[in-house]
Amino acid sequence: MPPPPRLLHGRRRGRALRPGRARLRERLLPRLVLGLPETGQLGPASLFPAPPPALRLEIGFGAGEHLADAAERSPEIGFIGCEVFENGIARLLSEIERRSLGNIRIFADDARLLLAALTPRSIDRVFILFPDPWPKRRHHKRRIVSGETLDALASVMTDGAELRLATDDADYLRWMLERATAHPDFAWLARRPADWRERPLDWPATRYEEKALAAGRRPVFLRFARRPR
C-alpha cells in the first residue's frame, strides 16, 4: 500500500457549530458534497444537472466569501470549492442558502485527491487565495503551491486557463513566484506593477485580504495562464 500523502492542511474542526449551522450542514451538505469515483474520472457533466460551459476550482476557500461572490456573479459557470475546515464549510453553506446558489459543489478533503480524479482539460480557472504559508522551514513541504501541485493543475486546466494566487506573506510570495515562473506550463501575466499589486475588478475580496490590510500587510495578486499544449 502506498504511503498516505503528506499533510498540506491544518485542523479540520474549530468551535462547535451553532445549532442552526449544524442543522444546515446535515441538510444541505449531502446534496452538494463531491465523492470520488471508484473508477474512471470526474467530469463536469457529472457534477451538475446540466453541464456548465465552464468549470472553476477554488482550493482552500476558507469561509467561502470569495467562492460565493464568484458563483453569484457567474451563475452559468460551475464552481468546485475544496476545504477541510468544517466551520468554513458551514459558513459557505449559509451563503449558498442565503443567495440561492445552485452552481457550487464542495470537496471536503485533500485537494490533491480531487486533482487526481478530475478529467484532463476540464478546469478553466483555479484560485488558491491566501493559503497557509507554513512559515517554519520544516513545514515548507506542506505548502500547497509546489511543483507537484502545479503539475497536477497543468493537467486538469484548459489551454489559456488562469491560475490565480494571492498571499500577504513575503516569503511565500517568493516561493510562489520561483515555482510558478519556472514551471514550463504556466506564463505569468503581469506586465506592470499594478498587475500584481491591485486586485482585478472581477476578483472578489476575501476576509483574509481585509485582515492583511488592517494589519499593515500588502496583499499580492498573481495571475498565470496555462500555456497552450
Side-chain angles (χ1 to χ4, degrees), residues 176-193:
M176 288 177 170
L177 284 173
E178 287 173 1
R179 282 148 185 80
T181 57
H183 198 284
D185 293 330
F186 291 97
W188 192 16
L189 297 177
R191 296 294 179 267
R192 56 194 177 94

Side-chain angles (χ1 to χ4, degrees), residues 8 14-17 31-32 66 70 76 129 133 138 147 169 173 182 186-187 197 201 203 226:
L8 295 184
R15 298 177 182 174
L17 296 178
R31 292 161 39 195
L32 304 180
H66 171 273
E76 76 285 358
L129 308 181
R138 68 177 184 271
D169 183 272
L173 170 62
F186 291 97
R197 291 176 178 168
L201 294 178
W203 189 332
R226 206 296 180 198

